[in-house]
Amino acid sequence: MVSPSDMSGPGPGRIRQDTVYRAGVAGIRPTVPTDAAGLERAARRRMSRKAWAYIAGGAGEGRTMVNNREALDAVRLVPRVGVDRSRRDLSVTLPGGRYDNPVLLAPVGAGALVREDADLAVGRAAAATGTPYIISNQGSSPLEETVAAMRAVDPAARHWFQLYWSTDEQLVDHLIARAEASGASALVVTLDTTVLGWRPQDLNLGSLPFSRGQGIAQYLSDNRFLEIVRDRLAAGTAGGIGGVKVTPAAVASLLSIARHHPGRALRNLLSPEPRAAVETFLDIYSNPGLDWDLLATVTERTTLPVVFKGILDPRDALSAVEAGADAIVVSNHGGRQVDNAVASLDALREIRGAVGDAFPLLFDSGIRTGRDVAVALSCGADAVLLGRPHMYGLAAGGQRGVEEVIGNVLAELDLTTALT
Ligand code: FNR
């Protein structure tokens, strides 16, 4: 496996090339394609229609995803020669300390669409490659289990926790406390999903993973959340999936909900609690009333460094700094929220201008290759988040697929750095 950049060795690029070409001598090919388009095709072949719609899909007509790619592709690199580049240092200081590489795994919810143990497999791959994993609030395994899986691979593995700000303030505090207790290096508060964007691919299939109990493991493992569910049941305000026609799909959804709920599946099938939990989640997971005054309370509520994710306007970036952010993720959520939004890369340039050179900026939305990482760094990012590609690696090759995707991106980044 490609190890983090080793300044005294040949670097991750050469190591990865050597690994691939040596295995090739014995007729062994990489587990997943090394190019982005091939990876996507390989992943799609292994995914259900619903999984593909949710993971690859975007908001509206998909223009934001196109904008993200066009902006990244519009940057042409100028190779330079005649400079000693035998030692390449890609390390970076971010919340939580020093990191060998400027690449983290983005929080991706509802990975259970690909595999039930998605978060564990991705976490192990992250740990095996020395890559920090930003664990999603919409994860498919409880945070604590994902962290344990990572530490079983490398006791020093680092993770951040991503929070969606609930309408229940006690739940917000509970999730923050769990992030702290889990040893997270930072708390990432996602700001751009106070309501879910208009996503035709999912809408056309009538498919939302959460309504089948997928991607709500952080909630089902939270005492405060379960308390809210039971209070609502007792008060008769839990809502319910009443009125749904009894069809094979409805039965499959109920089975799925029962399976994802803690406790025995049979007991869950007979109990109203699992369905009430799904309804409660849908009602309270996000807060459309979230404003800067409320966000500013976060620094008093946690000892962790705070990262605000999902900022595109320089004015919002300045508000985030004022609210106490230790870093910002410039992101349009991979084009999943607002159609024809500004390309994340164009926003990055403006935000870098607004916050100055020293403020830590992370970037995502559209990163597919090591070249893209180099482009983002050249436009003002300190580090990037790798989103869909790691899910494609998972679909195409499991944990090993994720490791190879990370290794390939770091390798091309290293080689591009050496050549430019
Ligand atoms: C996401 N993203 C996301 N972000 C977040 O803060 N919390 C989350 O739970 C999720 N869930 C999620 C699910 C899926 C299937 C995708 C594709 C994305 C957004 C993610 O962190 C990141 O911003 C984007 O993936 C970046 O865009 P690209 O590079 O994947 O196109």
Side-chain angles (χ1 to χ4, degrees), residues 51 53-57 65 68-69 72 105-111 113 134-139 162-164 188-193 199 210 309-310 329-336 363-368 385-392:
Y54 186 72
I55 292 167
M65 295 187 291
N68 286 338
R69 282 307 318 166
L72 283 159
L105 294 190
V108 169
L113 282 164
I134 307 179
I135 297 172
S136 169
N137 203 163
Q138 256 58 322
Q162 177 265 323
L163 175 80
Y164 280 123
V188 179
V189 184
T190 298
L191 308 182
D192 59 12
T193 312
R199 300 181 183 169
F210 313 112
K309 173 173 184 281
V329 184
V330 178
S331 165
N332 56 32
H333 214 99
R336 301 165 68 77
F363 168 86
D364 78 25
S365 299
I367 295 279
R368 297 291 174 269
L385 275 47
L386 190 61
R388 290 184 177 96
H390 84 255
M391 291 310 286
Y392 295 154

Side-chain angles (χ1 to χ4, degrees), residues 211-231:
S211 57
R212 297 187 297 273
Q214 293 174 312
I216 63 173
Q218 313 303 7
Y219 299 82
L220 297 178
S221 56
D222 194 283
N223 291 337
R224 172 59 195 157
F225 178 78
L226 293 174
E227 185 178 77
I228 303 168
V229 175
R230 284 162 197 157
D231 286 352

Side-chain angles (χ1 to χ4, degrees), residues 344-357:
S344 195
L345 194 74
D346 293 333
L348 170 67
R349 293 187 179 99
E350 292 215 9
I351 289 174
R352 176 50 83 201
V355 298
D357 288 345

